[in-house]
Amino acid sequence: MKRLLLILLGLFAGAALFAQEEDVPIADVIFEHVGDAYEWHITTWKDHPVAIHLPVIVRSRTSGWHAFSSKRLEHGAVHEGFLIAPDDPYEGKVVEIVDGERVRPLDISITKNVLSLMMSAVLLAVIVLLTARWYRRHDALEEAPKGLAAAVEPLVMMVHNMAKENIGEDYRRYSPFLCTAFFFILLNNFMGIIPFFPGGANLTGNIAVTMVLALCTFFTVNLFGTKHYYKDIFWPDVPGFLKPIMPVIEVFSALVKPISLTIRLFANMLAGHIMILCIVCIIFAMAKYGPAMTGSMTFVSVLFGLFLDLLECLVAFIQAYVFTMLSSIYIGLSRAKE
């Protein structure tokens, strides 16, 4: 307990001194942390940034493919006609200078979010394989699972029962997809809360990632829907004067479902990260009011930051659960029979 208090006091003092010495652009700090980037900043050591410089892979409109380290584009540098745009409309993105104008090339670079996605996919595969290995080596009917298997089994059974309740008799066909979606979202939600490498990437707070997850649910629902599901959309059992109207409403409803899944997960995770960063940045906002104000607000912001981190852990689980539950409900509706 004494060590914990000493660590916290050290954090308070260090943050207060740093805040007094530096004029920190708070808005830039927040958006830099929640946004994507061509490098992964880890820390600063002796006034020198320590970062992983990721590969930039782009296709020029005039000179074909180019691949090089993002280090060559640091501090506004131009390399092979490419640079990272410092302002709108392509701020933070690699652009190409063509006839004196900035244009976007085809960009398939390994960015911070892409690297985080790769690492989380590998980590998820390791978790699944280690859990499966325990069940291969033990009789689950005779022995209770231990270690990693004991942590994973209740979550798998929760998703399994959710699928059984919401989908019906052929739920086993869709349980693997629902389990994959749940664990992928949960893992990346928790990875985003960890403030140091390999955590800290705002993957589920990126609308492109949540959109792809929602589209997986959308195609699962609509590619494997029953005849009764499509009959209810295009020729529902309603009075005759409503038959021309109902298909329009039903099609609109089917298109809105993936949009709602996308925005719900994206907005909740992004808002949580921004809220934590705003609380931490109070330290720097109060720096100009003197040591007493800075020290007291450092204490308050660190305590609130710890509270919000714990709250964000709860939100991380809830958002994974809600996404999976809604996906199972939508699949269940598409599997309805007469």
Side-chain angles (χ1 to χ4, degrees):
M1 186 65 181
K2 291 181 179 179
R3 290 183 180 180
L4 178 60
L5 289 174
L6 288 173
I7 291 171
L8 289 175
L9 288 173
L11 289 172
F12 299 155
L17 289 172
F18 179 77
Q20 292 173 32
E21 294 175 359
E22 300 287 340
D23 185 15
V24 179
I26 294 175
D28 292 343
V29 170
I30 292 174
F31 287 108
E32 179 183 347
H33 278 77
V34 300
D36 202 0
Y38 291 94
E39 66 174 22
W40 196 319
H41 182 268
I42 298 175
T43 187
T44 300
W45 179 257
K46 295 182 179 180
D47 296 329
H48 295 288
V50 178
I52 299 174
H53 296 282
L54 302 170
V56 175
I57 307 170
V58 291
R59 186 180 187 280
S60 168
R61 297 186 180 184
T62 58
S63 55
W65 288 98
H66 297 257
F68 50 87
S69 170
S70 61
K71 185 176 178 62
R72 297 182 179 274
L73 301 181
E74 281 187 320
H75 312 300
V78 179
H79 179 71
E80 297 180 1
F82 299 95
L83 75 155
I84 296 178
D87 49 28
D88 291 336
Y90 304 120
E91 184 176 2
K93 302 295 184 182
V94 170
V95 295
E96 178 185 8
I97 302 175
V98 178
D99 297 329
E101 295 185 1
R102 297 174 183 172
V103 295
R104 283 281 285 150
L106 176 62
D107 190 351
I108 58 170
S109 303
I110 307 298
T111 62
K112 178 180 177 180
N113 281 344
V114 173
L115 179 60
S116 177
L117 180 63
M118 293 176 176
M119 291 190 298
S120 62
V122 171
L123 181 57
L124 181 58
V126 169
I127 292 172
V128 171
L129 292 174
L130 289 177
T131 303
R133 186 178 68 171
W134 188 93
Y135 283 96
R136 285 197 304 269
R137 296 182 176 182
H138 301 82
D139 185 354
L141 298 177
E142 300 293 335
E143 182 180 355
K146 298 178 182 178
L148 183 62
V152 172
E153 182 182 292
L155 298 175
V156 171
M157 292 307 301
M158 179 191 71
V159 177
H160 182 80
N161 292 333
M162 182 193 304
K164 184 177 182 179
E165 180 179 348
N166 293 327
I167 297 176
E169 60 184 20
D170 57 347
Y171 71 96
R172 293 181 182 275
R173 183 180 184 184
Y174 302 97
S175 287
F177 164 70
L178 295 174
C179 279
T180 302
F182 175 80
F183 281 102
F184 178 82
I185 295 171
L186 184 65
L187 178 62
N188 283 290
N189 285 352
F190 281 125
M191 292 287 286
I193 298 171
I194 300 172
F196 48 83
F197 182 83
N202 185 32
L203 196 61
T204 47
N206 185 309
I207 196 167
V209 175
T210 60
M211 180 182 67
V212 171
L213 290 169
L215 286 176
C216 289
T217 297
F218 175 77
F219 288 121
T220 301
V221 168
N222 291 283
L223 291 178
F224 301 102
T226 62
K227 293 180 180 179
H228 183 69
Y229 168 72
Y230 283 105
K231 176 181 175 296
D232 282 344
I233 292 178
F234 295 107
W235 197 253
D237 293 327
V238 294
F241 70 93
L242 290 176
K243 287 189 180 294
I245 301 174
M246 291 305 296
V248 177
I249 296 174
E250 291 294 337
V251 169
F252 179 76
S253 175
L255 295 175
V256 165
K257 287 174 182 176
I259 296 174
S260 67
L261 286 175
T262 298
I263 295 176
R264 180 183 289 105
L265 179 57
F266 155 74
N268 278 284
M269 298 314 301
L270 180 64
H273 293 156
I274 290 177
M275 193 160 53
I276 292 173
L277 289 169
C278 287
I279 291 295
V280 173
C281 285
I282 289 176
I283 301 170
F284 309 106
M286 294 293 107
K288 59 184 177 182
Y289 296 106
M293 178 63 75
T294 305
S296 60
M297 291 309 298
T298 298
F299 179 82
V300 172
S301 66
V302 170
L303 287 183
F304 270 95
L306 291 173
F307 169 75
L308 288 175
D309 273 332
L310 295 175
L311 182 62
E312 191 70 2
C313 289
L314 177 62
V315 172
F317 176 82
I318 290 174
Q319 290 305 314
Y321 179 86
V322 169
F323 186 98
T324 310
M325 180 184 67
L326 291 176
S327 296
S328 68
I329 290 173
Y330 297 155
I331 294 171
L333 292 174
S334 73
R335 301 300 299 167
K337 297 178 180 179
E338 290 184 295

